[in-house]
Amino acid sequence: MVATVDISAREAEVLALVGEHLSNAEIGARLFISVRTVESHVSSLLRKLEVADRRALAQHAAHSAPADRPQPAAAPVLPTPLTSFIGRAGERAELTELLQSQRQVTAVGPGGVGKTRLALTVAAELADEFPDGVWFVDLVPITSPDICVVAGTAALALGLGEQPGRAMDESVLAALADRNALLVLDNCEHVRDGVAPFIERLLASCPGVTVLATSRARLMVPFERVYTVPPMSLAGAGESDAVELFMDRAAAGGWPPNQALREQVSAFVERLDGVALAIELAAARWTTLGLDGLGEGLSDQLRMLAGGARADDRHRSVRAALDWSHALLEPGDRVLLRRIAVFMKSFTIAAAAQVTGSEKGSVATGLARLVEQSLLMVTPTATGTEYRALETIRQYGMEQLTDAGELDDARARHLAWCLTEATNLTVAQPDWRPRFDAAADDLRVALAWVCEQPDRRADAYRLTRDFANLAFTRHLTGESQWRYEQAAAFADNPADTAALLRQAAAAAGCQLSGDNMYRLHRAAAVAAQQADDPAGAAADLATAATSAYRFWNTFQQHPPRDELTALIAEARNLASGNASAQAAIALAEAAVLANAFGAPDALPGSTSGVSDANGHGSHGSRIPPVAPASSHSIPEVLLHAERAVEFAHRTGDPLAESAALDALTGAQSRVGDALAASATARRRVALLASAPTTPDGTHELIEALGQAAEAGVGVGDLRGARRAARRLADHPMLAEVGHRATGRLLVVDALVGNVEDVLTRSVRFFEAWQREGSPSAPGLGAAATGVAMIHGLRGDDAARAEWQAVSDRLGAAPGHGDRAVFNTLRLLHHGRTDEAFDHVDAAPADLWRDSPSPWLHWYVALRAETCALDGDPAATDRIAEARAVVAGNPIATALVDRAEAVLARDPDRILATVTVFDNAECRYQSARTKVLAGGDHAAQGGAALAALGIAPMAASR
């Protein structure tokens, strides 16, 4: 049981959420901690609770729940009402029954009738029936009915962020595809055109999801079951639900009504048609007016609104209550109520003071009076008191604002507050994310208004630019791209337009949208020419052409070769000897030469494609299948890449130099100089240490880290590879694509024998891959094969087969080498040298005739070891062959030395390699070496393997 184990309070929280079957990303979002921190806690819990894997950990969490009550699989993520829920037993039962039999129910009714409170109550009561959670999505702040905006709001409510290369609606569908969950969509009426298709897709793709929507009108979607929310029941006279609501809310004012008045209250609430909001507004005046005063005051309003259709009674009663309550306010409070209506969400006293143009003191007392009259809700937070108007009241306030002729003035003051808030948010602070989330909807509303004001272009430019930066920092990458483009359209200076379009292009790159990246670089070139900056235009054109080669597999439609050639030619004409332009052109020329080399892996860049780890495109290692036969030599490609680096270095621009180093790394790999390629990759990462956290800097850094991790594995620098892979896994831009984030790290950890880390991290990998729809991603096959090997070393053949199936579905291309390496390691561990031969029998030149693989050193070293363990007559030749290949690779060299010592049956020479493995933190090979040495050392090695969680080694056969 948990009580007998020393676990921290945070670990207990994580354990509970693991028991709710949440992913690490979802746990991080729920607890506002990083995914890495969640991983650390999960790893610690696995160790402390002595369970094998995450599945067992979830079972432990469920069994640790108190036995006297059922434990829901996921706690409902619902707002907490500030007042008690009164009555409606019949409605609750009816709506509950519908949700148990129908997948889409819309609770309809006029504003103020109580749709949201009823939906929240029923959703909370049904939480146990939805093991994967009950989630609330507030659609009030949305100003656009676009399906992507609706889906984006739902994604944030679910704790999801943007996934590169995937629209937000697709992310939501993937996240909920296999979930049994209830989604509450509140206030749908103003965005029905976006909600309807979103719900249709959701129900079609997610068979376990049920949707409860609230709206003033039905959504008109297939399978919709409409439930009309009635007013509070008037049956039972003085004992009715409507009377109970009035009595409860009136008592909250400190002066409970006399129970003898129930019959009079019944008559009063009947005049209000039992509408919940109207009753609550009236009850708030009980202490000052009494029942007689309430009746007389409302009579005039109801009389004024008489004559409408009976179907509109509930609308009229709410309007009457609002008009009457508004009329009773002090003049200053009426002004305050209508001016704060511009806030879409919660606001502070300071914010209200700025937007209303009043002193803080008077605003504070005025807000308190509005709270007393049930016109505002108040919520204490960690940073102070916040206020919010119910949507019906906010809309009423907006009407009053318009009628008073103050709408534009209020919007302008709200815009000024948003501009200040956006500026303040640019300062990095620990609470930055919740502060941004709290202000984001108001910033968006201000943007929607200011962008329609021709005389406020400067403000529109400033706010769109700042919001673009904020959205990118918040990892809303798709929105940031759009906002950068929007800001570029408002910029008066073409140079600013060009700069913003370049950032938009980089954001598109982070989103794996090569087509947009290409389009935006070309648009930046046009703006640069308008700014009389031909060199900048030349660099943009060359960069556009280069992107078509570096990131070709992120394109939906690849640009024709003639078009790319023309762009480079135009860039040369505009360059005029400018260093930055020359660097960009040199890089483009290197890309063209490498692409023309003809082999399917000829593009310059990362040693085997950074996209394999993070999905950002091969950046040079793969080419579009349009290359003609080559008329260029590999050394010529290398010379052009070196020339690009030289030009880029002269500019002093680390991002330009990084792109050139990417090309050089790939060229060095092409000529078989793995050590030089690894050194260049490390140089690139070091260079980017000073790079800005802007879209272009982030794009380059993610690529560089993946490249360095792979190159390090190839040359036996596992420490360096793990550092780079760890940074990649921790990068917040990849938080929502855990398979791409952790792929490199899983490979390194599998090689060094970090069994516990592999078991923990593989869960994140698998969940994220499934959430994305289990796509084919050949470069991620090495990670899955590495996980399969670890399960094989543990003796869990069922789990190994499952992960090998994942690798197959990822579609790893033959010849990558990872399968041969990982399968050979597993088979040698179990003494099955005859089967291992099948994986390393081919000559390296036959496998990688056109391009050396990052697995080459591992392959030839294990080929030599297999021969040595089997006593194969060719062992001596294989060892000599391998030694010539792996020179400079400490781990591969140690493997070859050990193979030679095994062949010579020399225990001392075998043990001499332990130091190398220990220095490289290669724990598995260190333990294996001791077992191979035999004698007393074999027992030490066996104990080390057991400590890692690995099964005992078997003798070769």
Side-chain angles (χ1 to χ4, degrees), residues 878-912:
R878 295 287 177 266
I879 290 169
E881 173 189 62
R883 194 176 297 285
V885 173
V886 304
N889 182 326
I891 293 178
T893 298
L895 290 173
V896 175
D897 289 343
R898 188 178 68 189
E900 189 172 52
V902 166
L903 189 64
R905 303 180 185 275
D906 188 336
D908 291 336
R909 286 174 60 194
I910 293 175
L911 288 171

Side-chain angles (χ1 to χ4, degrees), residues 612-928:
D612 296 350
N614 57 42
H616 275 63
S618 291
H619 302 217
S621 64
R622 309 262 190 273
I623 63 165
V626 295
S630 172
S631 59
H632 304 279
S633 66
I634 296 177
E636 187 177 359
V637 175
L638 182 61
L639 287 173
H640 274 78
E642 290 172 343
R643 178 169 172 264
V645 172
E646 179 184 352
F647 277 124
H649 182 70
R650 291 177 189 173
T651 69
D653 181 354
L655 301 184
E657 188 170 355
S658 170
L661 289 172
D662 182 16
L664 180 59
T665 303
Q668 289 167 332
S669 178
R670 277 298 293 171
V671 300
D673 195 345
L675 293 172
S678 179
T680 303
R682 292 195 304 273
R683 173 183 165 190
R684 185 183 176 200
V685 171
L687 175 71
L688 291 171
S690 60
T693 57
T694 52
D696 49 4
T698 300
H699 194 202
E700 279 295 325
L701 178 61
I702 289 175
E703 298 306 322
L705 290 172
Q707 185 183 70
E710 183 173 281
V713 166
V715 298
D717 178 19
L718 295 186
R719 280 187 171 184
R722 197 172 194 280
R723 281 195 301 271
R726 175 78 268 178
R727 288 181 63 187
L728 192 66
D730 290 343
H731 201 288
M733 185 65 69
L734 302 179
E736 299 299 327
V737 281
H739 52 315
R740 296 175 184 170
T742 60
R744 299 288 191 203
L745 196 51
L746 281 170
V747 169
V748 180
D749 281 336
L751 288 172
V752 302
N754 290 340
V755 175
E756 185 176 292
D757 289 342
V758 170
L759 295 179
T760 301
R761 207 160 283 122
S762 64
V763 176
R764 180 184 174 195
F765 179 99
F766 185 73
E767 289 177 345
W769 177 64
Q770 277 196 319
R771 189 182 304 125
E772 197 170 271
S774 304
S776 173
L780 293 176
T785 306
V787 177
M789 180 200 73
I790 289 295
H791 284 293
L793 295 180
R794 287 166 50 82
D796 189 343
D797 287 335
R800 183 190 69 79
E802 289 177 2
W803 276 95
Q804 196 57 60
V806 171
S807 180
D808 292 340
R809 290 183 63 188
L810 285 165
H816 273 208
D818 57 271
R819 287 202 176 191
V821 169
F822 283 127
N823 280 319
T824 301
L825 287 169
R826 172 180 59 83
L827 292 167
L828 292 181
H829 180 87
H830 293 297
R832 293 151 61 180
T833 53
D834 51 342
E835 294 177 59
F837 262 121
D838 295 337
H839 293 280
V840 292
D841 188 46
D846 293 336
L847 291 177
W848 300 299
R849 186 175 306 280
D850 296 315
S851 177
S853 164
W855 294 99
L856 174 62
H857 290 186
W858 289 89
Y859 181 89
V860 297
L862 290 174
R863 190 168 185 245
E865 180 171 325
T866 302
C867 290
L869 287 170
D870 192 63
D872 188 278
T876 301
D877 291 340
R878 295 287 177 266
I879 290 169
E881 173 189 62
R883 194 176 297 285
V885 173
V886 304
N889 182 326
I891 293 178
T893 298
L895 290 173
V896 175
D897 289 343
R898 188 178 68 189
E900 189 172 52
V902 166
L903 189 64
R905 303 180 185 275
D906 188 336
D908 291 336
R909 286 174 60 194
I910 293 175
L911 288 171
T913 63
V914 168
T915 302
V916 177
F917 295 128
D918 286 342
N919 289 339
E921 297 180 355
C922 202
R923 301 157 68 192
Y924 170 70
Q925 290 298 342
S926 175
R928 175 174 169 77

Side-chain angles (χ1 to χ4, degrees), residues 219-482:
L219 302 179
M220 305 298 290
V221 295
F223 312 115
E224 179 183 30
R225 181 63 181 269
V226 175
Y227 179 76
T228 302
V229 178
M232 299 294 290
S233 173
L234 298 168
E239 302 302 321
S240 70
D241 287 350
V243 170
E244 289 297 334
L245 179 64
F246 181 92
M247 299 294 280
D248 180 84
R249 301 302 191 254
W255 182 25
N258 191 310
Q259 295 299 314
L261 295 174
R262 279 182 171 270
E263 294 300 326
Q264 293 173 261
V265 171
S266 176
F268 174 72
V269 296
E270 186 173 357
R271 294 169 60 196
L272 294 176
D273 297 305
V275 175
L277 178 58
I279 293 172
E280 291 189 339
L281 290 174
R285 293 282 182 177
W286 157 258
T287 57
T288 56
L289 296 178
L291 195 58
D292 290 343
L294 290 175
E296 292 175 5
L298 274 171
S299 293
D300 291 340
Q301 295 297 330
L302 291 169
R303 194 176 301 115
M304 288 171 58
L305 293 168
R310 187 63 193 166
D312 295 332
D313 278 352
R314 294 171 202 158
H315 291 283
R316 293 191 294 110
S317 58
V318 171
R319 167 65 67 179
L322 285 169
D323 285 343
W324 167 76
S325 188
H326 181 263
L328 291 177
L329 294 174
E330 295 293 331
D333 290 348
R334 289 200 292 269
V335 173
L336 179 62
L337 180 64
R338 65 177 179 256
R339 290 182 179 175
I340 59 172
V342 294
F343 286 107
M344 290 300 297
K345 280 195 167 182
S346 298
F347 55 89
T348 63
I349 292 173
Q354 182 175 347
V355 169
T356 61
S358 306
E359 294 293 329
K360 283 186 181 180
S362 62
V363 167
T365 56
L367 292 175
R369 287 191 294 268
L370 294 176
V371 171
E372 291 173 357
Q373 305 309 319
S374 294
L375 292 168
L376 290 181
M377 297 183 296
V378 59
T379 306
T381 70
T383 56
T385 302
E386 293 185 352
Y387 301 83
R388 184 176 184 178
L390 290 173
E391 179 60 11
T392 301
I393 295 173
R394 193 192 70 81
Q395 291 178 7
Y396 180 85
M398 290 297 290
E399 291 177 8
Q400 298 298 314
L401 198 60
T402 302
D403 292 344
E406 298 177 355
L407 181 60
D408 284 345
D409 287 343
R411 286 292 191 199
R413 286 193 295 269
H414 181 250
L415 171 65
W417 175 81
C418 288
L419 287 166
T420 301
E421 191 70 7
T423 300
N424 292 338
L425 281 169
T426 59
V427 180
Q429 295 176 342
D431 62 345
W432 184 89
R433 175 171 169 168
R435 287 178 59 222
F436 172 81
D437 289 349
D441 286 322
D442 276 296
L443 297 179
R444 292 183 178 105
V445 167
L447 278 169
W449 178 75
V450 73
C451 289
E452 296 297 325
Q453 309 301 312
D455 59 335
R456 291 185 176 273
R457 283 182 59 88
D459 288 336
Y461 166 70
R462 178 183 161 192
L463 189 55
T464 49
R465 179 200 62 196
D466 289 351
F467 192 85
N469 292 329
L470 293 169
F472 185 81
T473 304
R474 180 59 176 83
H475 312 305
L476 301 174
T477 317
E479 184 172 10
S480 75
Q481 177 196 323
W482 168 40

Side-chain angles (χ1 to χ4, degrees), residues 38-306:
V38 177
E39 289 176 355
S40 298
H41 287 314
V42 170
S43 180
S44 176
L45 287 166
L46 289 169
R47 183 178 64 257
K48 289 181 178 180
L49 298 175
E50 298 180 348
V51 294
D53 52 30
R54 192 186 184 100
R55 183 181 305 171
L57 194 63
Q59 293 172 345
H60 188 286
H63 293 155
S64 300
D68 60 345
R69 63 178 174 87
Q71 187 74 0
V77 183
L78 301 172
T80 303
L82 300 177
T83 55
S84 59
F85 186 81
I86 303 296
R88 290 196 183 275
E91 294 93 318
R92 286 156 67 180
E94 292 169 355
L95 188 55
T96 296
E97 184 179 359
L98 279 177
L99 287 168
Q100 290 172 327
S101 61
Q102 308 292 325
R103 292 191 57 212
Q104 204 275 301
V105 179
T106 304
V108 300
V113 79
K115 300 184 297 295
T116 299
R117 287 300 302 272
L118 177 61
L120 287 173
T121 300
V122 170
E125 291 173 348
L126 284 172
D128 289 355
E129 300 187 22
F130 293 94
D132 292 316
V134 177
W135 306 87
F136 180 82
V137 183
D138 182 8
L139 299 177
V140 166
I142 297 181
T143 57
S144 168
D146 186 87
I147 183 175
C148 291
V149 178
V150 173
T153 304
L156 292 176
L158 290 165
L160 304 174
E162 289 197 36
Q163 297 183 18
R166 165 168 286 194
M168 289 295 264
D169 56 330
E170 294 175 345
S171 296
V172 174
L173 298 181
L176 296 176
D178 58 350
R179 300 295 182 94
N180 184 358
L182 173 63
L183 201 63
V184 181
L185 302 176
D186 193 39
N187 289 290
C188 298
E189 58 273 354
H190 64 299
V191 287
R192 281 195 298 171
D193 290 345
V195 171
F198 173 67
I199 290 178
E200 285 190 54
R201 292 194 61 193
L202 187 67
L203 296 179
S205 304
C206 309
V209 171
T210 298
V211 174
L212 171 58
T214 72
S215 177
R216 296 187 183 186
R218 64 179 301 176
L219 302 179
M220 305 298 290
V221 295
F223 312 115
E224 179 183 30
R225 181 63 181 269
V226 175
Y227 179 76
T228 302
V229 178
M232 299 294 290
S233 173
L234 298 168
E239 302 302 321
S240 70
D241 287 350
V243 170
E244 289 297 334
L245 179 64
F246 181 92
M247 299 294 280
D248 180 84
R249 301 302 191 254
W255 182 25
N258 191 310
Q259 295 299 314
L261 295 174
R262 279 182 171 270
E263 294 300 326
Q264 293 173 261
V265 171
S266 176
F268 174 72
V269 296
E270 186 173 357
R271 294 169 60 196
L272 294 176
D273 297 305
V275 175
L277 178 58
I279 293 172
E280 291 189 339
L281 290 174
R285 293 282 182 177
W286 157 258
T287 57
T288 56
L289 296 178
L291 195 58
D292 290 343
L294 290 175
E296 292 175 5
L298 274 171
S299 293
D300 291 340
Q301 295 297 330
L302 291 169
R303 194 176 301 115
M304 288 171 58
L305 293 168

